PDB file of all heavy atoms in Angstrom:
ATOM      1  N   LEU U 299     -12.019 -34.134  35.073  1.00 86.00           N
ATOM      2  CA  LEU U 299     -13.240 -34.416  34.293  1.00 86.00           C
ATOM      3  C   LEU U 299     -14.275 -33.312  34.442  1.00 86.00           C
ATOM      4  O   LEU U 299     -15.015 -33.041  33.502  1.00 86.00           O
ATOM      5  CB  LEU U 299     -13.851 -35.784  34.709  1.00 86.00           C
ATOM      6  CG  LEU U 299     -13.060 -37.024  34.298  1.00 86.00           C
ATOM      7  CD1 LEU U 299     -13.581 -38.292  34.968  1.00 86.00           C
ATOM      8  CD2 LEU U 299     -13.058 -37.180  32.764  1.00 86.00           C
ATOM      9  N   GLU U 300     -14.282 -32.689  35.611  1.00 82.00           N
ATOM     10  CA  GLU U 300     -15.213 -31.579  35.814  1.00 82.00           C
ATOM     11  C   GLU U 300     -15.011 -30.429  34.883  1.00 82.00           C
ATOM     12  O   GLU U 300     -15.906 -29.655  34.592  1.00 82.00           O
ATOM     13  CB  GLU U 300     -15.044 -31.103  37.314  1.00 82.00           C
ATOM     14  CG  GLU U 300     -15.974 -29.997  37.695  1.00 82.00           C
ATOM     15  CD  GLU U 300     -15.835 -29.618  39.162  1.00 82.00           C
ATOM     16  OE1 GLU U 300     -15.514 -30.532  39.932  1.00 82.00           O
ATOM     17  OE2 GLU U 300     -16.072 -28.459  39.538  1.00 82.00           O
ATOM     18  N   PHE U 301     -13.738 -30.263  34.351  1.00 89.00           N
ATOM     19  CA  PHE U 301     -13.432 -29.142  33.500  1.00 89.00           C
ATOM     20  C   PHE U 301     -13.236 -29.557  32.032  1.00 89.00           C
ATOM     21  O   PHE U 301     -12.790 -28.725  31.216  1.00 89.00           O
ATOM     22  CB  PHE U 301     -12.180 -28.449  34.017  1.00 89.00           C
ATOM     23  CG  PHE U 301     -12.309 -27.972  35.451  1.00 89.00           C
ATOM     24  CD1 PHE U 301     -11.870 -28.695  36.531  1.00 89.00           C
ATOM     25  CD2 PHE U 301     -12.934 -26.735  35.712  1.00 89.00           C
ATOM     26  CE1 PHE U 301     -11.989 -28.268  37.836  1.00 89.00           C
ATOM     27  CE2 PHE U 301     -13.089 -26.271  36.953  1.00 89.00           C
ATOM     28  CZ  PHE U 301     -12.648 -27.051  38.072  1.00 89.00           C
ATOM     29  N   GLY U 302     -13.599 -30.798  31.695  1.00 89.00           N
ATOM     30  CA  GLY U 302     -13.489 -31.173  30.293  1.00 89.00           C
ATOM     31  C   GLY U 302     -12.066 -31.353  29.747  1.00 89.00           C
ATOM     32  O   GLY U 302     -11.841 -31.303  28.572  1.00 89.00           O
ATOM     33  N   LEU U 303     -11.128 -31.579  30.651  1.00 93.00           N
ATOM     34  CA  LEU U 303      -9.714 -31.709  30.211  1.00 93.00           C
ATOM     35  C   LEU U 303      -9.401 -33.109  29.797  1.00 93.00           C
ATOM     36  O   LEU U 303      -9.849 -34.086  30.374  1.00 93.00           O
ATOM     37  CB  LEU U 303      -8.765 -31.322  31.416  1.00 93.00           C
ATOM     38  CG  LEU U 303      -8.731 -29.900  31.789  1.00 93.00           C
ATOM     39  CD1 LEU U 303      -8.054 -29.713  33.180  1.00 93.00           C
ATOM     40  CD2 LEU U 303      -8.025 -29.062  30.768  1.00 93.00           C
ATOM     41  N   LYS U 304      -8.613 -33.230  28.673  1.00 94.00           N
ATOM     42  CA  LYS U 304      -8.131 -34.522  28.221  1.00 94.00           C
ATOM     43  C   LYS U 304      -6.791 -34.803  28.798  1.00 94.00           C
ATOM     44  O   LYS U 304      -5.859 -33.965  28.679  1.00 94.00           O
ATOM     45  CB  LYS U 304      -8.091 -34.571  26.695  1.00 94.00           C
ATOM     46  CG  LYS U 304      -7.481 -35.839  26.129  1.00 94.00           C
ATOM     47  CD  LYS U 304      -7.310 -35.781  24.620  1.00 94.00           C
ATOM     48  CE  LYS U 304      -6.630 -37.064  24.135  1.00 94.00           C
ATOM     49  NZ  LYS U 304      -6.471 -37.030  22.620  1.00 94.00           N
ATOM     50  N   PHE U 305      -6.621 -35.981  29.441  1.00 97.00           N
ATOM     51  CA  PHE U 305      -5.309 -36.270  30.033  1.00 97.00           C
ATOM     52  C   PHE U 305      -4.779 -37.571  29.399  1.00 97.00           C
ATOM     53  O   PHE U 305      -5.554 -38.524  29.101  1.00 97.00           O
ATOM     54  CB  PHE U 305      -5.464 -36.534  31.549  1.00 97.00           C
ATOM     55  CG  PHE U 305      -5.130 -35.300  32.361  1.00 97.00           C
ATOM     56  CD1 PHE U 305      -6.074 -34.307  32.519  1.00 97.00           C
ATOM     57  CD2 PHE U 305      -3.884 -35.137  32.933  1.00 97.00           C
ATOM     58  CE1 PHE U 305      -5.804 -33.174  33.307  1.00 97.00           C
ATOM     59  CE2 PHE U 305      -3.598 -34.010  33.678  1.00 97.00           C
ATOM     60  CZ  PHE U 305      -4.528 -33.030  33.875  1.00 97.00           C
ATOM     61  N   GLU U 306      -3.452 -37.600  29.242  1.00 98.00           N
ATOM     62  CA  GLU U 306      -2.706 -38.800  28.903  1.00 98.00           C
ATOM     63  C   GLU U 306      -1.573 -38.896  29.966  1.00 98.00           C
ATOM     64  O   GLU U 306      -1.237 -37.917  30.537  1.00 98.00           O
ATOM     65  CB  GLU U 306      -2.113 -38.774  27.474  1.00 98.00           C
ATOM     66  CG  GLU U 306      -3.176 -38.798  26.396  1.00 98.00           C
ATOM     67  CD  GLU U 306      -2.530 -38.729  25.009  1.00 98.00           C
ATOM     68  OE1 GLU U 306      -1.933 -37.662  24.724  1.00 98.00           O
ATOM     69  OE2 GLU U 306      -2.643 -39.698  24.302  1.00 98.00           O
ATOM     70  N   PHE U 307      -1.006 -40.116  30.100  1.00 98.00           N
ATOM     71  CA  PHE U 307       0.013 -40.260  31.169  1.00 98.00           C
ATOM     72  C   PHE U 307       1.214 -41.004  30.656  1.00 98.00           C
ATOM     73  O   PHE U 307       1.133 -42.074  30.004  1.00 98.00           O
ATOM     74  CB  PHE U 307      -0.593 -41.081  32.298  1.00 98.00           C
ATOM     75  CG  PHE U 307      -1.725 -40.348  33.003  1.00 98.00           C
ATOM     76  CD1 PHE U 307      -3.019 -40.483  32.573  1.00 98.00           C
ATOM     77  CD2 PHE U 307      -1.464 -39.524  34.072  1.00 98.00           C
ATOM     78  CE1 PHE U 307      -4.109 -39.827  33.181  1.00 98.00           C
ATOM     79  CE2 PHE U 307      -2.515 -38.817  34.678  1.00 98.00           C
ATOM     80  CZ  PHE U 307      -3.844 -38.984  34.264  1.00 98.00           C
ATOM     81  N   VAL U 308       2.402 -40.387  30.907  1.00 98.00           N
ATOM     82  CA  VAL U 308       3.711 -41.053  30.699  1.00 98.00           C
ATOM     83  C   VAL U 308       4.059 -41.670  32.071  1.00 98.00           C
ATOM     84  O   VAL U 308       4.212 -40.938  33.062  1.00 98.00           O
ATOM     85  CB  VAL U 308       4.748 -40.057  30.306  1.00 98.00           C
ATOM     86  CG1 VAL U 308       6.138 -40.755  30.220  1.00 98.00           C
ATOM     87  CG2 VAL U 308       4.427 -39.412  28.926  1.00 98.00           C
ATOM     88  N   ILE U 309       4.183 -42.967  32.140  1.00 97.00           N
ATOM     89  CA  ILE U 309       4.385 -43.642  33.419  1.00 97.00           C
ATOM     90  C   ILE U 309       5.840 -44.159  33.464  1.00 97.00           C
ATOM     91  O   ILE U 309       6.248 -44.994  32.685  1.00 97.00           O
ATOM     92  CB  ILE U 309       3.418 -44.772  33.711  1.00 97.00           C
ATOM     93  CG1 ILE U 309       1.984 -44.186  33.632  1.00 97.00           C
ATOM     94  CG2 ILE U 309       3.672 -45.451  34.943  1.00 97.00           C
ATOM     95  CD1 ILE U 309       0.855 -45.194  33.853  1.00 97.00           C
ATOM     96  N   ILE U 310       6.613 -43.631  34.419  1.00 97.00           N
ATOM     97  CA  ILE U 310       7.978 -44.044  34.599  1.00 97.00           C
ATOM     98  C   ILE U 310       8.002 -45.305  35.467  1.00 97.00           C
ATOM     99  O   ILE U 310       7.458 -45.309  36.560  1.00 97.00           O
ATOM    100  CB  ILE U 310       8.822 -42.931  35.294  1.00 97.00           C
ATOM    101  CG1 ILE U 310       8.873 -41.658  34.396  1.00 97.00           C
ATOM    102  CG2 ILE U 310      10.285 -43.406  35.579  1.00 97.00           C
ATOM    103  CD1 ILE U 310       9.593 -40.506  35.028  1.00 97.00           C
ATOM    104  N   PRO U 311       8.678 -46.380  34.970  1.00 94.00           N
ATOM    105  CA  PRO U 311       8.652 -47.670  35.694  1.00 94.00           C
ATOM    106  C   PRO U 311       9.126 -47.462  37.118  1.00 94.00           C
ATOM    107  O   PRO U 311      10.202 -46.868  37.375  1.00 94.00           O
ATOM    108  CB  PRO U 311       9.652 -48.527  34.915  1.00 94.00           C
ATOM    109  CG  PRO U 311       9.612 -47.961  33.506  1.00 94.00           C
ATOM    110  CD  PRO U 311       9.388 -46.483  33.700  1.00 94.00           C
ATOM    111  N   SER U 312       8.375 -47.944  38.107  1.00 87.00           N
ATOM    112  CA  SER U 312       8.709 -47.766  39.529  1.00 87.00           C
ATOM    113  C   SER U 312      10.067 -48.444  39.905  1.00 87.00           C
ATOM    114  O   SER U 312      10.801 -47.944  40.779  1.00 87.00           O
ATOM    115  CB  SER U 312       7.610 -48.288  40.404  1.00 87.00           C
ATOM    116  OG  SER U 312       7.318 -49.608  40.154  1.00 87.00           O
ATOM    117  N   GLU U 313      10.381 -49.553  39.243  1.00 86.00           N
ATOM    118  CA  GLU U 313      11.597 -50.292  39.571  1.00 86.00           C
ATOM    119  C   GLU U 313      12.854 -49.535  39.179  1.00 86.00           C
ATOM    120  O   GLU U 313      13.936 -49.794  39.773  1.00 86.00           O
ATOM    121  CB  GLU U 313      11.590 -51.642  38.903  1.00 86.00           C
ATOM    122  CG  GLU U 313      11.544 -51.709  37.399  1.00 86.00           C
ATOM    123  CD  GLU U 313      10.100 -51.706  36.890  1.00 86.00           C
ATOM    124  OE1 GLU U 313       9.175 -51.386  37.672  1.00 86.00           O
ATOM    125  OE2 GLU U 313       9.918 -51.955  35.659  1.00 86.00           O
ATOM    126  N   SER U 314      12.720 -48.561  38.288  1.00 82.00           N
ATOM    127  CA  SER U 314      13.923 -47.848  37.856  1.00 82.00           C
ATOM    128  C   SER U 314      14.342 -46.832  38.948  1.00 82.00           C
ATOM    129  O   SER U 314      15.571 -46.531  39.054  1.00 82.00           O
ATOM    130  CB  SER U 314      13.650 -47.109  36.526  1.00 82.00           C
ATOM    131  OG  SER U 314      12.789 -45.947  36.763  1.00 82.00           O
ATOM    132  N   GLY U 315      13.398 -46.324  39.685  1.00 82.00           N
ATOM    133  CA  GLY U 315      13.732 -45.295  40.691  1.00 82.00           C
ATOM    134  C   GLY U 315      14.191 -43.959  40.112  1.00 82.00           C
ATOM    135  O   GLY U 315      14.625 -43.070  40.836  1.00 82.00           O
ATOM    136  N   ASP U 316      13.983 -43.825  38.801  1.00 90.00           N
ATOM    137  CA  ASP U 316      14.398 -42.586  38.121  1.00 90.00           C
ATOM    138  C   ASP U 316      13.339 -41.586  38.058  1.00 90.00           C
ATOM    139  O   ASP U 316      12.147 -41.886  38.239  1.00 90.00           O
ATOM    140  CB  ASP U 316      14.812 -42.880  36.675  1.00 90.00           C
ATOM    141  CG  ASP U 316      16.123 -43.686  36.608  1.00 90.00           C
ATOM    142  OD1 ASP U 316      16.919 -43.606  37.576  1.00 90.00           O
ATOM    143  OD2 ASP U 316      16.358 -44.330  35.549  1.00 90.00           O
ATOM    144  N   ASP U 317      13.686 -40.272  37.911  1.00 93.00           N
ATOM    145  CA  ASP U 317      12.770 -39.248  37.603  1.00 93.00           C
ATOM    146  C   ASP U 317      13.213 -38.598  36.284  1.00 93.00           C
ATOM    147  O   ASP U 317      14.292 -38.990  35.769  1.00 93.00           O
ATOM    148  CB  ASP U 317      12.643 -38.237  38.754  1.00 93.00           C
ATOM    149  CG  ASP U 317      14.013 -37.613  39.119  1.00 93.00           C
ATOM    150  OD1 ASP U 317      14.850 -37.373  38.225  1.00 93.00           O
ATOM    151  OD2 ASP U 317      14.246 -37.353  40.328  1.00 93.00           O
ATOM    152  N   PRO U 318      12.454 -37.630  35.721  1.00 96.00           N
ATOM    153  CA  PRO U 318      12.885 -37.103  34.444  1.00 96.00           C
ATOM    154  C   PRO U 318      14.253 -36.507  34.420  1.00 96.00           C
ATOM    155  O   PRO U 318      14.994 -36.617  33.434  1.00 96.00           O
ATOM    156  CB  PRO U 318      11.809 -36.034  34.203  1.00 96.00           C
ATOM    157  CG  PRO U 318      10.593 -36.575  34.848  1.00 96.00           C
ATOM    158  CD  PRO U 318      11.071 -37.240  36.095  1.00 96.00           C
ATOM    159  N   ASP U 319      14.698 -35.930  35.535  1.00 96.00           N
ATOM    160  CA  ASP U 319      16.045 -35.331  35.561  1.00 96.00           C
ATOM    161  C   ASP U 319      17.094 -36.366  35.506  1.00 96.00           C
ATOM    162  O   ASP U 319      18.229 -36.086  35.005  1.00 96.00           O
ATOM    163  CB  ASP U 319      16.262 -34.437  36.791  1.00 96.00           C
ATOM    164  CG  ASP U 319      17.486 -33.543  36.637  1.00 96.00           C
ATOM    165  OD1 ASP U 319      17.567 -32.845  35.695  1.00 96.00           O
ATOM    166  OD2 ASP U 319      18.364 -33.695  37.488  1.00 96.00           O
TER     167      ASP U 319
END
Side-chain angles (χ1 to χ4, degrees):
L299 289 170
E300 181 175 331
F301 300 97
L303 290 166
K304 175 185 177 181
F305 266 81
E306 295 179 293
F307 296 89
V308 175
I309 300 180
I310 298 177
S312 57
E313 60 272 14
S314 73
D316 290 338
D317 57 35
D319 193 58

